Amino acid sequence: MARPKCAACRRADAGIHRAVSFRLFLVPPVFVLSVRPGEIPMRRSMKWLLSGCLLVLLFGAGVSVLTWRFVSSNKDAWLSRGTEAVAEGERAGRDLDDRVCVDASIARLKEDGSFGTGLGARLWLSGCLRASRRADGFCDKVPPPGEIVKTIEWSASACLRHGRGNDSGCNGLMQETQKHCAEADVASSP
């Protein structure tokens, strides 16, 4: 038969149990695992870190699923608008030369300046340049695509001339122009 504990011992044991139960309350419930005898228990900071990583992973998975659903539900409309912009540019380009195509696409970009408008203007420009007449000296100052520093300088100065300095939409139009000039140089070389 076990000896009864004194009152001080009983109070000390109750305090320890209260502290242990309070500590378990602070631990995230995902990682409350029983520790076998002889094992080292996981630190509380490690449990919080793992819980945070799990939450970030779940949040990222949720955002990925929502993004996938959004893109898959809108892709057909986006593709048809892009095809329509290229076809419209080709129709307009039959009556224009290269310089006018670039000026008209920058005018389209000035309407809104959003990402969608910039992409639509770039697609329109690609169609317009494909069908347009070659203007004399249009591609003379355009650097080849491999020269990165000259490309950046040329694109920035061309966008500044059109009043669109530091504009990613205008830079996209200049990339399309550079691509057109590179293709025209390859086609005209013997």
Side-chain angles (χ1 to χ4, degrees):
M1 189 165 164
R3 288 185 357 195
K5 291 186 176 183
C6 66
C9 292
R10 285 193 301 266
R11 282 193 299 273
D13 285 344
I16 290 171
H17 290 298
R18 264 189 256 125
V20 168
S21 64
F22 180 69
R23 242 186 280 138
L24 286 176
F25 176 71
L26 291 178
V27 174
V30 176
F31 295 104
V32 175
L33 303 172
S34 61
V35 179
R36 294 186 187 122
E39 288 184 357
I40 300 173
M42 190 183 300
R43 288 184 176 166
R44 183 184 326 161
S45 59
M46 184 57 73
K47 291 177 185 179
W48 281 104
L49 178 68
L50 290 174
S51 295
C53 290
L54 180 65
L55 287 174
V56 167
L57 185 69
L58 289 174
F59 180 75
V63 168
S64 298
V65 167
L66 291 175
T67 302
W68 176 76
R69 288 189 66 197
F70 177 74
V71 168
S72 63
S73 67
N74 291 314
K75 71 178 177 182
D76 294 332
W78 293 339
L79 287 173
S80 68
R81 277 190 272 169
T83 306
E84 183 180 311
V86 171
E88 185 181 328
E90 286 176 347
R91 282 191 301 274
R94 290 186 193 118
D95 302 326
L96 305 174
D97 68 1
D98 295 343
R99 280 194 181 90
V100 178
C101 281
V102 172
D103 292 340
S105 65
I106 293 211
R108 286 173 161 262
L109 186 64
K110 287 181 179 179
E111 291 173 6
D112 184 0
S114 67
F115 175 75
T117 303
L119 186 57
R122 185 172 180 168
L123 291 171
W124 185 88
L125 178 62
S126 73
C128 187
L129 289 174
R130 193 177 308 143
S132 68
R133 295 182 310 275
R134 180 113 185 226
D136 291 333
F138 177 71
C139 292
D140 291 348
K141 295 182 182 178
V142 179
E147 297 183 18
I148 296 171
V149 175
K150 287 183 180 179
T151 297
I152 292 170
E153 292 171 351
W154 169 78
S155 178
S157 67
C159 288
L160 279 174
R161 274 196 314 273
H162 288 289
R164 304 296 291 180
N166 202 16
D167 182 4
S168 63
C170 181
N171 289 328
L173 296 177
M174 294 306 122
Q175 287 175 357
E176 201 64 43
T177 304
Q178 183 182 35
K179 183 174 116 183
H180 167 71
C181 288
E183 290 170 355
D185 287 342
V186 168
S188 65
S189 64

